[in-house]
Amino acid sequence: LNPLSRSPVTSAMFLVLTILSMAGLFVLLHAFFLAAVQILVYAGAVMVVFLFVIMLLDLKADERRHFNQVAVGLGGLSALAIAGTLVAAVVKSVPAAAPAGRLAEGETKALGRLLFESHILPFEILSLLLLVATVGAILITKKDLR
């Protein structure tokens, strides 16, 4: 796989790799529930919808965008700046002592109650948004609307 490939499927696969890396960061922060949700929801379900839409759109090679050399250069400089900041943060960080007991933020019971009792509306809105995006992608790819 080439990270500079113009294939949308390759880009989606590298997005999956990025999502899995974020899940690893959540594990390092002892947020195991968020890591599991990151893998199941984003790397699993949402990426399946993305790939489904990409396959339905069936992009041709000549219709794809071409890279702007200035944008690629500025993107590379930005990536180097972010990598430098990350390395500096890791070098300056002090390892934390091992936790004495069970971590309170690692428990999922209170988090589940909070999410599904008081924040159910955003979940429902998100499900409708994904449904509309899928129906829209199907309608875009239809040749005849009879």
Side-chain angles (χ1 to χ4, degrees):
L1 290 175
N2 180 7
L4 297 177
S5 173
R6 294 184 183 185
S7 168
V9 176
T10 304
S11 298
M13 289 299 115
F14 275 103
L15 183 59
V16 169
L17 181 65
T18 303
I19 290 170
L20 291 175
S21 300
M22 285 178 50
L25 290 174
F26 284 134
V27 167
L28 290 176
L29 292 171
H30 298 285
F32 302 111
F33 177 74
L34 288 177
V37 166
Q38 188 79 20
I39 292 172
L40 291 174
V41 173
Y42 291 106
V46 172
M47 285 311 300
V48 167
V49 171
F50 278 9
L51 286 173
F52 181 68
V53 169
I54 287 170
M55 297 295 181
L56 278 177
L57 289 178
D58 191 30
L59 299 174
K60 307 279 187 289
D62 52 340
E63 293 176 359
R64 294 187 189 140
R65 283 186 5 185
H66 297 287
F67 288 119
N68 183 357
Q69 297 298 331
V70 175
V72 170
L74 288 174
L77 284 174
S78 299
L80 286 175
I82 291 171
T85 305
L86 180 65
V87 167
V90 168
V91 168
K92 291 180 182 178
S93 68
V94 177
R102 202 167 84 184
L103 291 173
E105 66 266 6
E107 293 182 8
T108 58
K109 188 175 182 179
L111 181 61
R113 251 198 206 121
L114 177 71
L115 286 177
F116 292 113
E117 286 180 358
S118 57
H119 293 91
I120 194 69
L121 184 63
F123 284 106
E124 295 298 325
I125 291 172
L126 181 65
S127 67
L128 287 175
L129 182 66
L130 288 173
L131 177 68
V132 167
T134 305
V135 170
I138 291 170
L139 288 177
I140 286 174
T141 59
K142 285 193 90 155
K143 306 273 189 250
D144 256 339
L145 290 177
R146 286 188 249 178

